[in-house]
Amino acid sequence: MLGLLVTLVIVAVTFGSFAAARRFVRDRLRYVDSVQRSSSPWIAGAATTLVALPVVWILPVVGLGTAVVIGASVGLGVARGLLDIRNRDGGGWSSLPRI
């Protein structure tokens, strides 16, 4: 039962970090030139993984894979936020084409 609960929390944190990174890049970092580089998602993902490593080391329930997955989700969120900026759309459901 504890394993299922931990898995659900990890999935929620993963999706939340993706959405937060995407929204932050799209809304707050739109006009920052250094974010527009292609290496920005890699740097953000690596930094998030490094920040999550001490937390993973302290908590016995989660492992190294959790830190890597959360770092990857932040990197993908940054990449998707950059794609939203380049396409000049707000992302989300409002940017879908109407039929």
Side-chain angles (χ1 to χ4, degrees):
M1 186 64 161
L2 181 64
L4 180 63
L5 182 63
V6 169
T7 302
L8 290 176
V9 168
I10 291 171
V11 168
V13 168
T14 302
F15 284 121
S17 62
F18 171 82
R22 180 180 179 187
R23 188 178 330 109
F24 187 78
V25 168
R26 185 181 62 220
D27 296 342
R28 302 281 178 140
L29 299 179
R30 177 180 298 269
Y31 301 111
V32 178
D33 290 334
S34 61
V35 176
Q36 304 295 329
R37 294 182 298 178
S38 61
S39 63
S40 295
W42 291 98
I43 294 171
T48 304
T49 302
L50 289 176
V51 168
L53 281 176
V55 176
V56 168
W57 182 68
I58 291 171
L59 296 174
V61 180
V62 294
L64 177 65
T66 304
V68 173
V69 167
I70 292 173
S73 69
V74 168
L76 290 173
V78 169
R80 184 62 190 170
L82 290 173
L83 191 62
D84 289 343
I85 292 171
R86 290 184 187 130
N87 292 338
R88 290 188 174 91
D89 65 350
W93 295 105
S94 63
S95 65
L96 294 176
R98 294 187 178 166
I99 298 176

